[in-house]
Amino acid sequence: MSEKYAMTIDGQAVDAPATFGVVNPATGEVAEQAPDASREQLHAAMRSAQAAYAEWRRDEAARRKALHEAADIMFANTEEIGRILTLEQGKPLADATMEVAGAGVWLKYFADLELPREVIQDDDNALVEVVRRPMGVVAAITPWNYPLLLAIWKLAPALLAGNTMVLKPSPFTPLSSLKLGEVLRDVLPPGVLNVVTGGDELGAWMTSHEIPRKISFTGSVATGKRVAAAAAPDLKRVTLELGGNDPAILLDDADPAAVADKLFGAAFQNNGQVCSAIKRVYVPEALYGDVVDALAERAKAAKVGDGMQEGVQFGPINNKPQFERVGELVADALAGGARAAAGGKPVDGPGYFFEPTILADVEDGARIVDEEQFGPALPVVKYTDVEEALARANGTHFGLSGSVWSADADRAAEIAGRLECGTAWVNTHLALAPHQPFGGFKWSGVGVENGPWGLYGFTELQVVHRSKH
Ligand code: NAD
């Protein structure tokens, strides 16, 4: 193979007729080339996945073994794959290696997860069982914030259930998925996992392709709606994991000093580029100054830099459009009267670096409160009445997750239970785990990933009814 990063189609390394540049966000320069798949190559990948399905769906033990082996490969290659992730995504190497290890943890979890076969009737008349059957070929489309982990969230349950897959990563972060395809060629039969790379139109070709029976998509709300529309004509099943604008509500008995580290961590993890990061904080008037100061102190102390350097806490924003968008939302808030308690502007020099920013004296109605910023800038909003704060927290099209913070966990849980979102946390946020179903209400998604419920999303229910007469 001539290219350093090749696609995986039918178990083979495959170059494309053309390539596109992958930018290192720490420099703003093209660092590598990735294959730009042709439509014919996508067909070949789909046909290969379809051909592999017949055999793959038959042998559950072989599937479990392959997923365990895949996990071991992740654990053995955290550093090498982590470096690729840092190069294309920007996150610090320590976080990137953790993402690779996380991929291993998720693979192990699904490798051992039971696919239940439930007997719902067994009497003189009939034996009736409810069985989970695979669907066929899954088209998996992923975003640029956790390119590897989010691919595994789809791959592990889809393959365990007996499906085969064509995976397309974001054009901003194709390299780690190409590498994934490469390292799994030894443990997966040809066609079980195909990895193709290209621009957004490749995603559109996938969603309208006749072969896949299921689309598993993670990305923005706007694209998610296009995916749902593209799936509708032939009734492909969809799981959509979309954007969020997660509120964190502090109650009047919360201790700012005690919660500041957790709040800051959940807002700025991965430089704020997490679908379920805290994206707005609601604070009662009496605590407002202390909370803003505590968050600003942490933002000012954070070390921002090239993720390849030791000790860096936050890397660059992943790509230029997103870098410009975060800058625009922050500038809009400042122009509207908000105060930058920390940060407030891009870092001088090359790369897409932005100062960790805490915005005070900002209200609902400001774009940075109402929209998903998906970057290192956090608005802190004052409230007087908790019912009003809850109404504001719920008053958006988003519904991914949210949190309530209090010295009284029961009181917080009662309010958290009234958040209109897929995960309601109490005194924590962003606590995700393989066994917890994750998904959004409203425009934040359709269906869930993870846990048995995520696995069921890659299956069809079949009733097997045996008459006893
Ligand atoms: P995006 O929607 O721009 O792109 C996501 C993927 O869709 C990419 O692979 C892209 O190439 C592809 N795509 C683009 N147009 C397409 C089309 N018409 N048909 C099919 N595929 C198409 O999103 P992004 O900017 O890469 O990611 C950021 C967004 O993802 C944020 O909104 C974030 O909240 C969301 N996200 C959600 C979750 C979750 O689990 N809910 C997780 C991570 C990120």
Side-chain angles (χ1 to χ4, degrees):
M1 278 296 106
S2 55
E3 300 294 339
K4 188 168 162 195
Y5 291 96
M7 299 189 290
T8 298
I9 299 177
D10 203 29
Q12 302 293 313
V14 176
D15 288 339
T19 63
F20 61 95
V22 181
V23 170
N24 175 354
T27 64
E29 305 288 336
V30 170
E32 292 289 350
Q33 294 290 321
D36 194 2
S38 69
R39 207 160 185 156
E40 189 38 53
Q41 288 179 314
L42 175 66
H43 283 314
M46 290 291 181
R47 282 193 300 266
S48 165
Q50 192 175 38
Y53 174 61
E55 189 58 36
W56 181 248
R57 65 173 297 180
R58 276 202 205 120
D59 191 346
E60 189 177 320
R63 299 200 298 270
R64 293 189 188 281
K65 183 166 171 280
L67 290 182
H68 274 294
E69 286 170 3
D72 294 339
I73 290 175
M74 292 298 115
F75 293 133
N77 291 282
T78 50
E79 174 84 15
E80 190 192 349
I81 303 176
R83 284 188 177 277
I84 295 169
L85 266 177
T86 296
L87 177 78
E88 67 177 357
Q89 206 286 329
K91 65 186 67 188
L93 189 55
D95 294 350
T97 54
M98 266 174 53
E99 181 172 341
V100 185
V105 170
W106 253 264
L107 281 160
K108 286 257 174 229
Y109 169 77
F110 280 108
D112 292 331
L113 191 61
E114 201 195 334
L115 260 172
R117 197 180 168 102
E118 291 165 71
V119 175
I120 58 167
Q121 183 186 342
D122 187 6
D123 56 22
D124 293 345
N125 292 323
L127 171 64
V128 184
E129 291 174 289
V130 174
V131 187
R132 305 268 171 184
R133 300 293 189 204
M135 303 169 122
V137 176
V138 174
I141 301 175
T142 51
W144 46 257
N145 60 338
Y146 285 90
L148 188 75
L149 187 61
L150 295 179
I152 295 296
W153 282 21
K154 303 181 185 315
L155 179 151
L159 266 50
L160 175 74
N163 305 283
T164 57
M165 177 172 276
V166 177
L167 166 67
K168 187 206 86 71
S170 164
F172 293 114
T173 53
L175 306 178
S176 49
S177 294
L178 291 167
K179 186 72 184 173
L180 177 71
E182 181 194 317
V183 298
L184 296 188
R185 274 175 220 149
D186 291 339
V187 297
L188 297 174
V192 168
L193 171 66
N194 300 271
V195 182
V196 293
T197 52
D200 292 348
E201 73 287 351
L202 179 61
W205 295 343
M206 288 168 76
T207 54
S208 58
H209 199 280
E210 62 187 13
I211 288 182
R213 286 311 312 147
K214 161 95 188 185
I215 303 168
S216 180
F217 173 84
T218 303
S220 63
V221 170
T223 310
K225 289 182 180 179
R226 277 182 219 121
V227 169
D234 52 2
L235 300 178
K236 291 186 182 84
R237 310 307 191 241
V238 288
T239 298
L240 304 173
E241 293 286 357
L242 308 179
N245 190 8
D246 283 14
I249 303 175
L250 269 65
L251 302 188
D252 52 13
D253 63 353
D255 174 359
V259 300
D261 276 339
K262 277 191 181 179
L263 279 179
F264 184 76
F268 285 83
Q269 181 174 316
N270 207 38
N271 220 7
Q273 302 163 119
V274 187
C275 49
S276 51
I278 295 175
K279 300 207 171 107
R280 44 195 174 126
V281 185
Y282 289 95
V283 183
E285 211 154 354
L287 304 180
Y288 190 76
D290 287 347
V291 171
V292 168
D293 289 349
L295 292 172
E297 191 188 312
R298 282 154 182 82
K300 286 176 185 161
K303 188 168 175 216
V304 178
D306 185 331
M308 292 290 184
Q309 286 165 11
E310 192 82 10
V312 162
Q313 204 174 337
F314 303 124
I317 291 174
N318 172 255
N319 59 73
K320 194 158 181 237
Q322 187 60 21
F323 172 70
E324 286 170 351
R325 180 175 156 75
V326 172
E328 190 183 302
L329 292 182
V330 170
D332 172 78
L334 295 174
R339 173 172 64 88
K345 58 181 191 320
V347 176
D348 284 339
Y352 309 137
F353 294 99
F354 202 91
E355 296 174 349
T357 295
I358 302 295
L359 292 171
D361 305 332
V362 58
E363 296 292 332
D364 292 54
R367 287 183 61 198
I368 196 146
V369 182
D370 292 0
E371 298 178 24
E372 181 185 35
Q373 68 272 45
F374 213 63
L378 180 67
V380 187
V381 186
K382 211 178 281 173
Y383 76 82
T384 42
D385 171 61
V386 72
E387 291 299 327
E388 163 221 327
L390 188 61
R392 283 151 70 181
N394 285 334
T396 83
H397 286 301
F398 294 104
L400 195 55
S401 33
S403 55
V404 181
W405 304 70
S406 166
D408 180 345
D410 290 337
R411 184 177 163 223
E414 191 277 320
I415 293 166
R418 290 194 280 145
L419 285 169
E420 294 165 1
C421 58
T423 308
W425 280 293
V426 172
N427 291 330
T428 188
H429 199 114
L430 256 188
L432 300 171
H435 64 285
Q436 263 175 228
F438 179 70
F441 287 15
K442 300 192 265 185
W443 287 7
S444 286
V446 173
V448 297
E449 292 191 304
N450 298 330
W453 305 273
L455 175 62
Y456 301 160
F458 290 102
T459 64
E460 298 276 16
L461 269 186
Q462 183 181 57
V463 175
V464 179
H465 182 129
R466 286 197 241 175
S467 173
K468 292 190 181 174
H469 296 293

